[in-house]
Amino acid sequence: MRRNLATALTATTLIFGTITAPAAFAGTATAQAYTCSFSVAEPYAYAGYYKGMTVVPSSTVVTTAGIEAQCLLKRAGFDPGTIDGVFGTNSRAAAKRFQTMMNNAFGYTLATDGIVGSETWPALRSYVCYRT
């Protein structure tokens, strides 16, 4: 009898926890605002979250590349909105403005698509490095 009761209680706890756990964490994945801590290793600047130059920040989930790109864009003078790691509409618009400026002012041939990829990363890191 005790074994059956213990099994039933354990099962109930597991089921209840599985159902309520997502609600307990709802909104925490993107609500956090991150701080940026810049360092320079010429010819590039870094914000302390991602050191590479190939990962494209996600528009749906928090990524270190997303935080890094948002920090660098903000430091460059192109406001991406809240530094939350999700590379959404505001971040993409900031990246497009950055790409356009680099093409017009410095003769780059970056795609003006708002995507921070393998061509935009080095330009963004260099620009921030020499701007600070």
Side-chain angles (χ1 to χ4, degrees):
M1 173 90 168
R2 283 186 181 179
R3 181 179 281 172
N4 289 341
L5 182 58
T7 303
L9 285 173
T10 302
T12 302
T13 302
L14 289 173
I15 291 169
F16 183 72
T18 304
I19 292 169
T20 60
F25 295 105
T28 59
T30 59
Q32 180 175 356
Y34 294 88
T35 58
C36 306
S37 176
F38 294 95
S39 64
V40 172
E42 286 191 18
Y44 301 123
Y46 300 90
Y49 291 96
Y50 168 70
K51 293 208 177 271
M53 294 201 208
T54 57
V55 174
V56 175
S58 172
S59 63
T60 58
V61 296
V62 175
T63 63
T64 56
I67 300 167
E68 181 82 8
Q70 288 172 331
C71 287
L72 293 171
L73 284 165
K74 186 170 186 173
R75 184 71 168 233
F78 301 89
D79 187 8
T82 303
I83 308 297
D84 61 3
V86 179
F87 213 73
T89 306
N90 292 336
S91 299
R92 288 182 67 118
K96 281 183 185 181
R97 290 191 305 274
F98 171 77
Q99 291 163 334
T100 299
M101 183 276 301
M102 291 301 284
N103 291 343
N104 293 339
F106 299 104
Y108 278 75
T109 56
L110 301 173
T112 54
D113 54 8
I115 296 172
V116 179
S118 60
E119 291 186 14
T120 300
W121 275 115
L124 182 56
R125 290 193 187 283
S126 282
Y127 183 77
V128 172
C129 176
Y130 294 112
R131 187 172 194 269
T132 55

